[in-house]
Structure formats: C-alpha cells, structure tokens
C-alpha cells in the first residue's frame, strides 16, 4: 500500500491513478474495466493554486462476452459537478405513455476540470478553509446492453429506445474546501 501526503500534492505536482478491474475467473461475467484520473497542481501566485484534471474510462467484454448493463459506468457529479447521480449518459427514451428517461450507463467516458483554489485571506490558515472556482466538462456514451427484453428473465416483448449521443455536459461553480481532521471535505455549488 502506497500512501501520499495529499496536502502537499494538492499544492504542487502531478498525481495520477490508474485502476483496472478484471472479471471472468470462475463466473459467467467477463469484462475488463479501466479508468485513469490524473491531476496537475501548479502554484500561480502567493497561495493561489491552479488544478487541471483529466479522467477517462473504458469497459469491454472479453472471450466473446458482452457487457451487462449493471457493469456500465454510471456518471454524474463525480464527472461533472452539478449533475444528479447517473445524470449523464445514455437514456431510455421509450414512449409508453411518457418517456422514462432512465439512465442506462455507457462503456466510455472522459472528463476535464480546471480549478483555481485560494485560501480565505480573512481567516487564519489553521482553520484549513479554501475557496475554489471551477469549470467541468465531460461525456459518457457507448451503451452496449440489451435493447429488448428477449432473452431476459421476463419476456414482455418490450424494447428500449436508446438515446446515446456523444453529448458533452459542462458546469461552472464555486466551492469551499475544508482540510478537516477527517481529511479534505468539499462543498461545491
């Protein structure tokens, strides 16, 4: 296990995290899920720090297996702040009286962030409070699940009308970062 002092890394330097999940040994689900999250912190002037973040992910089946809907990425505020959980990506637009707009998830995503972090100069540094101004953008696409109920446990004959465009979502906002005794906490608006 490798531990970093994030208080210093969040002031200057590069921090990257690569994750891979492999499923398929001893089961009927076979996929490889890869994600990367990289951040670069650069002090501009005095205590103002610029942060640039990039993140991306891909999930794909192997050995002839597809990707189940449950194994798709479900993205929201962890990709673009201000969106609801599972609020980004492909949707079910089936008209059964009214569209459900249910989130289906996707197999590919990317996200980018630019953020300025600065202390509140009117507070002592011991309080551990900083303000931030940010801009986020990202997209989730590539739904590969079923589009009909044929072959599922309940054969109702229903089909899905999938809206899966490569739509870029974005937001801007402000936030408060507190270096609490429990670790850094964020409150974004």
């Amino acid at each position: 296990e490798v531990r970093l002092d994030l208080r210093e890394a969040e002031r200057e330097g590069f921090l990257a995290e690569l994750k891979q999940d492999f499923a398929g040994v001893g089961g009927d689900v076979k996929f490889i899920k890869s994600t990367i999250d990289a951040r670069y912190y650069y002090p501009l002037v005095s205590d103002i720090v610029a942060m640039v973040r990039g993140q991306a992910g891909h999930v794909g089946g192997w050995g002839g297996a597809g990707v189940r809907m449950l194994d798709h990425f479900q993205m929201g505020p962890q990709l673009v702040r201000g969106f609801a959980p599972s609020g980004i990506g492909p949707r079910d637009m089936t008209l059964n009286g009214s569209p459900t707009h249910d989130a289906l998830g996707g197999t590919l995503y990317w996200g980018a962030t630019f953020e300025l972090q600065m202390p509140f100069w009117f507070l002592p540094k011991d309080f551990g409070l900083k303000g931030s101004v940010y801009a986020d953008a990202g997209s989730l696409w590539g739904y590969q699940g079923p589009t009909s109920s044929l072959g599922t446990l309940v054969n109702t004959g229903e089909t899905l009308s999938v809206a899966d465009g490569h739509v870029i979502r974005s937001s801007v906002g402000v936030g408060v970062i507190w270096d609490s005794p429990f670790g850094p906490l964020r409150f974004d608006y």
Side-chain angles (χ1 to χ4, degrees), residues 4-32:
L4 299 171
D5 184 1
L6 292 179
R7 291 182 181 111
E8 198 55 41
E10 290 181 356
R11 178 128 178 81
E12 182 175 5
F14 184 79
L15 181 62
E17 181 178 47
L18 173 67
K19 292 182 181 177
Q20 276 201 311
D21 295 332
F22 177 78
V25 178
D28 59 350
V29 177
K30 296 180 178 179
F31 68 84
I32 298 174

Side-chain angles (χ1 to χ4, degrees), residues 92-105:
D92 176 11
M93 303 301 286
T94 305
L95 290 171
N96 295 336
S98 65
T100 61
H101 295 249
D102 290 336
L104 300 174

Side-chain angles (χ1 to χ4, degrees), residues 64-88:
V67 180
R68 301 180 312 166
M69 189 185 318
L70 292 174
D71 300 322
H72 282 66
F73 293 106
Q74 300 287 334
M75 302 304 263
Q78 70 273 35
L79 186 65
V80 179
R81 290 173 271 195
F83 281 81
S86 301
I88 297 174

Side-chain angles (χ1 to χ4, degrees), residues 128-184:
L129 287 172
K130 296 186 289 187
S132 69
V133 178
Y134 66 84
D136 292 342
S139 185
L140 171 66
W141 73 99
Y143 174 75
Q144 291 185 2
T147 55
S148 71
S149 64
L150 299 175
T152 61
L153 294 176
V154 180
N155 189 0
T156 62
E158 295 178 9
T159 60
L160 295 178
S161 175
V162 179
D164 187 11
H166 188 105
V167 179
I168 298 174
R169 303 294 186 182
S170 62
S171 70
V172 295
V174 296
V176 175
I177 304 167
W178 178 34
D179 188 14
S180 78
F182 308 107

